[in-house]
Amino acid sequence: MKGEKMIAGRPLARGWLRSNTTTIGPILAAVAIIAVFQVINPDFLSYNGLITLVYAMSYFLIAACGLTFVIMTGSFDFSVVSVLKLAALLSVLYVDRLGLWVVPLALLVSVGFGFINGLFVAKFKVPSFMATLGVSVVVEGIALYLSKGFLHVINNETFRALATTFIAGLPSIFYWAMGIWILSTFIALVTPFGRRIYAVGGNPISAGLSGINVAWYRIYVFMLSGLFAGLAGVLYMANWGGGSMELGADAAIPLFASVVAGGTALTGGVGGPHRTLLGVIIITWIQAGMFMLAVGRDIQVVTFGLIALVMSIATIDWRRITIIK
Amino acid sequence: MTTLARSRPITTAITQTLKTHPVILALIALFLLFSALYPERFLGPLNFSTILRQFVTLILFALGPSIVIVTGSLDLSYVGIYMLGSVLVWLLTPILGLVSIVVILHLEVATGFLIGVIQVKARIPSFILTLSLLVIYSGLTAYLAGGYPRSVKGYEFITATLIPNLPTAFLWSIPIIAAAVFIMKGTRIGTYLSAIGSNEEGARLAGINVDRYKILAFTLSGLFTGIGSIILFQHHGGSATVELNLNTMVWPLLAIVLGGTSLMGGSGGPQRTILGALTFTVVNRGLVLALLNPEAVQLLLGLLLIVSIVVSSRGLKGVTVT
């Protein structure tokens, strides 16, 4: 918004283009990616192709929305993937005993870890990357302790129906993802809560001076991130009904890449969950396209690393005169 | 202070050291604890040799990054460079012969320099830059190796046993550690890097070419990781790994933080990392010898990581955290 005012004097079309490059860029990229893969494989945009994409991107979008809130405040949450994994594991381990009550349990645990993350960052002044890295090692440890490293499979039909019921030709996990996306966008753009998150990310000192409790807002965004990661984990389990929860240190990169590819800058205060939808589309569709072309997982990892790198450089707010460590 | 030092030099020196390196107390306490709990398992020569072997792995990975952390940045790329370097050795040995081990060194110095330049010019946070590079390199490694760990023969001379029960890699690491400590304590490079870590703007105003020294820090980190990787390559059995493990990435960081290098920069360095790596190895061995199951050991080490991170960032109120 700041940009639009500054360029108001220039010719309208050029000014509009300039002030919206971070919006237009991802849209063009998404269209280009779809076009390329459609040319290579005409089945890409068929009903079955789209359903596969919907499955791939739904849980991913939920987790990415949570991460977006954290990045909007200028912090980083490395633990999203680990929390997702733990929530998925909790639901598979306790669904037989607790039934659907396992969902609130998993979400509560996830929010708890989000709160711990936030506490370390906001109250103990630990750099967010290191704090969440530490928490994710503990979460991984708990997940390993609970699962004993085995593969677990879910048979509970009511639980699986959470994600696999088809409504109007689309699985319910898609509606969950869209619901979370709309909710996040609403929170970020309309509510005072969201505007304060932008303020904390834009300039924490002036946000504090204008009466926002910066520390608590940092804790809130980490709790939100934990909650969404947990929900993504539960729905992931409901959708796939099991799966090896083996995720390495590289699992956080596609998630992070999709947030920055949407146009949310690491410096905070810019972007938002509404943009993350585009980023998720770009990342998951590249992934799907590469699977289609039988490109190995190793090269996919390299691609996402490069996207993450290039997009973090491209979105960083150069006008800020801050010292970047 | 000076009179005290003259009258009772040794006691003062000891209290001073303990004040700046509180981890020594923890190390001694843990050592005594484990020796008392299971003397026959812990105090045997086999255990000492294992401790040294693990210590070498940890310290050779941690030396480079601890130089970067002094400037307040973070370098996570070490495992990735080690993996890519090893697989390049596997690829090149049939063509170039034994000389190809040097490729690790070139790769790592070049990567360190590249990271430094990107960090300084593009101004993106170093953790995400080095994390992305780590992931890119591990992907390339898996691609080049075809997805399988590859073993290379012919470099056994690097870790050939010289003294029984003493890992040769440990002997190698002594001059490397000494060189790192000398650079940080004996030359002005160390002073400048600490100055940049404690107050970058102040260092700039004092006339230090901050950008150049930051690039130098990353390049040095690459250099030390490079020399270390050559030894670790053979220390780990002369094979190129393709699996990126969260623990391999995190434990050297834990050693650095345990040693007392602040994540905010400005203090610490390789000399403290030695203590941190030793403490970590003793804790790890102690827990393993306690016959806990591996999952519980990982959980406890994770908790140790969190506690030490919190302690090392304590008392830094007013510093902007991102």
Side-chain angles (χ1 to χ4, degrees):
Chain A
M1 275 208 282
K2 223 188 291 167
E4 278 163 32
K5 269 181 205 158
M6 274 166 52
I7 308 167
R10 301 222 185 115
L12 199 64
R14 242 180 79 200
W16 182 83
L17 250 178
R18 272 209 192 168
S19 58
N20 288 300
T21 35
T22 44
T23 314
I24 299 162
I27 295 178
L28 288 180
V31 172
I33 289 158
I34 296 167
V36 167
F37 286 128
Q38 179 65 25
V39 169
I40 297 170
N41 184 345
D43 285 341
F44 195 65
L45 285 181
S46 66
Y47 174 73
N48 281 335
L50 282 176
I51 287 289
T52 318
L53 285 174
V54 161
Y55 278 133
M57 65 177 268
S58 292
Y59 84 98
F60 202 78
L61 176 62
I62 297 173
C65 281
L67 183 61
T68 309
F69 280 109
V70 176
I71 293 182
M72 269 159 61
T73 64
S75 295
F76 188 75
D77 191 350
F78 190 83
S79 68
V80 171
V81 178
S82 313
V83 170
L84 189 154
K85 201 157 116 177
L86 182 65
L89 199 67
L90 282 176
S91 42
V92 78
L93 286 177
Y94 296 111
V95 72
D96 290 334
R97 248 172 286 172
L98 297 174
L100 279 186
W101 284 104
V102 81
V103 179
L105 170 79
L107 294 187
L108 207 63
V109 171
S110 311
V111 173
F113 279 110
F115 177 74
I116 293 171
N117 278 329
L119 207 61
F120 283 147
V121 173
K123 297 287 184 192
F124 295 118
K125 312 272 177 197
V126 181
S128 63
F129 177 74
M130 281 306 285
T132 52
L133 187 65
V135 168
S136 78
V137 170
V138 172
V139 173
E140 296 268 331
I142 296 173
L144 192 67
Y145 189 79
L146 290 176
S147 73
K148 308 283 179 223
F150 293 130
L151 180 73
H152 296 274
V153 182
I154 242 172
N155 292 317
N156 190 314
E157 285 309 317
T158 21
F159 179 76
R160 295 213 51 191
L162 281 177
T164 51
T165 319
F166 270 72
I167 305 162
L170 286 164
S172 48
I173 191 169
F174 172 77
Y175 297 100
W176 277 103
M178 279 300 139
I180 291 293
W181 177 67
I182 292 167
L183 179 71
S184 311
T185 307
F186 179 77
I187 291 176
L189 298 184
V190 181
T191 61
F193 179 79
R195 305 314 302 175
R196 286 182 197 136
I197 291 175
Y198 276 105
V200 169
N203 189 339
I205 297 168
S206 60
L209 290 176
S210 62
I212 299 172
N213 191 334
V214 175
W216 268 103
Y217 273 84
R218 285 196 198 281
I219 296 178
Y220 292 149
V221 290
F222 276 102
M223 285 167 77
L224 215 52
S225 169
L227 176 69
F228 287 180
L231 186 62
V234 169
L235 290 174
Y236 178 94
M237 232 349 144
N239 188 20
W240 302 109
S244 81
M245 287 270 98
E246 203 180 290
L247 299 159
D250 49 6
I253 281 291
L255 207 55
F256 167 72
S258 67
V259 175
V260 278
T264 304
L266 267 177
T267 30
V270 188
H274 52 298
R275 295 225 172 134
T276 301
L277 178 64
L278 274 175
V280 169
I281 288 176
I282 292 173
I283 294 297
T284 47
W285 291 27
I286 286 180
Q287 196 166 25
M290 292 207 305
F291 268 123
M292 210 175 63
L293 299 176
V295 176
R297 193 180 157 276
D298 33 29
I299 291 300
Q300 293 182 22
V301 167
V302 174
T303 315
F304 295 136
L306 283 174
I307 295 176
L309 201 55
V310 171
M311 286 314 292
S312 7
I313 296 174
T315 53
I316 219 116
D317 196 349
W318 291 76
R319 282 168 302 185
R320 297 262 197 100
I321 311 159
T322 45
I323 291 162
I324 304 275
K325 290 290 186 186
Chain B
M1 201 66 162
T2 41
T3 45
L4 242 171
R6 241 176 253 139
S7 60
R8 279 182 299 170
I10 299 167
T11 6
T12 324
I14 290 174
T15 33
Q16 274 300 317
T17 321
L18 285 183
K19 248 180 211 165
T20 46
H21 302 83
V23 74
I24 291 179
L25 285 177
L27 181 60
I28 295 171
L30 284 165
F31 193 85
L32 292 177
L33 176 72
F34 291 134
S35 312
L37 280 178
Y38 18 87
E40 71 286 0
R41 282 200 296 261
F42 192 76
L43 290 173
L46 182 67
N47 185 46
F48 283 128
S49 140
T50 315
I51 286 184
L52 282 185
R53 290 181 65 85
Q54 293 186 350
F55 168 76
V56 168
T57 308
L58 215 53
I59 190 77
L60 289 182
F61 272 143
L63 270 183
S66 58
I67 295 175
V68 172
I69 291 182
V70 168
T71 71
S73 296
L74 204 55
D75 188 354
L76 301 170
S77 61
Y78 43 92
V79 186
I81 318 183
Y82 163 71
M83 287 164 65
L84 188 60
S86 316
V87 86
L88 285 179
V89 169
W90 171 72
L91 278 176
L92 290 176
T93 303
I95 308 165
L96 295 176
L98 293 187
V99 192
S100 50
I101 193 86
V102 186
V103 80
I104 296 189
L105 204 58
H106 289 152
L107 174 79
E108 317 230 339
V109 174
T111 311
F113 182 73
L114 183 76
I115 293 173
V117 170
I118 297 180
Q119 212 270 323
V120 164
K121 299 294 173 203
R123 300 174 68 79
I124 68 170
S126 55
F127 75 84
I128 206 71
L129 169 63
T130 51
L131 183 68
S132 308
L133 259 173
L134 165 69
V135 167
I136 291 172
Y137 274 24
S138 80
L140 278 178
T141 308
Y143 176 70
L144 290 175
Y148 299 102
R150 304 289 188 174
S151 66
V152 192
K153 295 264 177 287
Y155 296 103
E156 287 80 7
F157 65 91
I158 297 176
T159 50
T161 313
L162 294 175
I163 306 167
N165 271 334
L166 198 64
T168 314
F170 175 70
L171 296 178
W172 278 110
S173 70
I174 294 172
I176 301 171
I177 296 169
V181 174
F182 174 72
I183 288 177
M184 292 306 283
K185 297 302 270 187
T187 67
R188 63 176 177 190
I189 297 174
T191 320
Y192 285 2
L193 293 184
S194 305
I196 293 171
S198 56
N199 185 347
E200 189 168 326
E201 201 49 47
R204 201 187 303 274
L205 292 174
I208 298 175
N209 190 335
V210 171
D211 288 357
R212 189 181 291 172
Y213 275 92
K214 275 180 136 180
I215 296 175
L216 182 68
F218 281 105
T219 315
L220 277 176
S221 169
L223 176 69
F224 279 107
T225 313
I227 303 171
S229 295
I230 291 181
I231 294 153
L232 288 178
F233 171 70
Q234 190 54 46
H235 187 58
H236 291 164
S239 72
T241 35
V242 291
E243 201 115 324
L244 176 62
N245 191 331
L246 184 66
N247 288 350
T248 357
M249 186 186 111
V250 169
W251 298 151
L253 287 180
L254 175 53
I256 295 172
V257 176
L258 261 184
T261 302
S262 166
L263 286 171
M264 299 301 194
S267 69
Q271 71 282 2
R272 294 203 179 173
T273 304
I274 305 169
L275 288 170
L278 202 56
T279 314
F280 175 83
T281 320
V282 168
V283 172
N284 188 20
R285 281 307 292 168
L287 291 177
V288 169
L289 289 178
L291 305 179
L292 291 170
N293 55 354
E295 294 94 16
V297 172
Q298 166 155 16
L299 196 55
L300 288 172
L301 289 175
L303 289 173
L304 179 68
L305 174 67
I306 291 192
V307 171
S308 51
I309 288 173
V310 170
V311 170
S312 97
S313 332
R314 195 191 46 183
L316 290 155
K317 296 213 169 88
V319 180
T320 340
V321 196
T322 55

